[in-house]
Amino acid sequence: MAGRPRKSVTVHKGNRSKEERLNRKIQESKIKVDRLQLEEGAPDWLSPEAAEEYMRIVHEAGKINLLDNIDRAFLAIYADNYGRYVTASRELQENGLMVTTESGEFPSPYVKIASDAATQIHRCSTKLGLAATDRLKLIVPTEEEKSVNKFLRFLNKGR
């Protein structure tokens, strides 16, 4: 799809009639999905740490109705990589950044695992809106009613 992504009614600042805004709100309400599958629990294939992170995100995102069932796959990928990152970080703390073998000293394979997991965490968290800056792009306070145009009185004065 070419062009700019479509904006939510609450974010769009262009001139729209009340009817156009109402139609957009109706369209947006139709794309909202339930959260039941998210709240049932983490997928059973996740590690205990990943499952705990999964449920933490479901709980916190539920406060602002941020995620729904369609986000489940991205959330599972995020949580899985979170678990990998935690495991790799623990290994690096215990055994250090370098591994000594008969051939010499090499970087630990856990450095790459942690780096790759951190990259995936960042990508998924952006898609899910987990960082405050990403949520600001998704959630904008509703517009307050515009005040009366201060120049309108000059138009009426001449009549």
Side-chain angles (χ1 to χ4, degrees):
M1 183 165 114
R4 292 184 179 167
R6 184 173 175 169
K7 293 181 181 179
S8 170
V9 171
T10 56
V11 177
H12 187 72
K13 295 188 184 201
N15 293 329
R16 297 243 185 234
S17 68
K18 288 182 181 179
E19 184 179 337
E20 286 175 317
R21 279 184 269 164
L22 178 62
N23 286 337
R24 290 283 293 268
K25 281 186 181 182
I26 291 169
Q27 289 174 352
E28 289 174 14
S29 69
K30 288 180 181 178
I31 64 168
K32 213 44 180 153
V33 183
D34 286 337
R35 294 177 41 84
L36 299 176
Q37 290 177 350
L38 281 179
E39 294 169 354
E40 285 176 356
D44 58 356
W45 51 268
L46 290 175
S47 70
E49 284 144 348
E52 186 178 327
E53 178 68 1
Y54 179 99
M55 291 311 297
R56 184 185 75 82
I57 297 297
V58 167
H59 175 72
E60 293 297 326
K63 293 177 184 177
I64 57 173
N65 201 22
L66 182 63
L67 302 177
D68 54 35
N69 291 341
I70 295 175
D71 299 314
R72 192 168 194 247
F74 269 117
L75 182 55
I77 293 167
Y78 164 86
D80 186 39
N81 280 285
Y82 175 84
R84 287 184 187 150
Y85 183 82
V86 169
T87 301
S89 293
R90 285 188 182 136
E91 285 292 328
L92 290 170
Q93 287 174 357
E94 289 176 16
N95 301 316
L97 296 173
M98 301 301 282
V99 175
T100 305
T101 65
E102 295 172 1
S103 304
E105 199 169 71
F106 299 99
S108 170
Y110 289 105
V111 171
K112 179 154 177 42
I113 292 169
S115 177
D116 291 348
T119 300
Q120 287 300 322
I121 288 167
H122 181 263
R123 286 181 183 161
C124 289
S125 67
T126 301
K127 292 278 189 193
L128 295 168
L130 299 184
T133 54
D134 297 325
R135 284 191 303 279
L136 288 174
K137 294 175 190 173
L138 301 172
I139 302 170
V140 176
T142 57
E143 291 182 29
E144 296 178 11
E145 289 296 318
K146 292 182 179 179
S147 61
V148 177
N149 187 333
K150 60 185 176 182
F151 298 108
L152 192 57
R153 63 186 166 121
F154 294 116
L155 288 174
N156 294 331
K157 198 173 192 178
R159 291 186 186 166

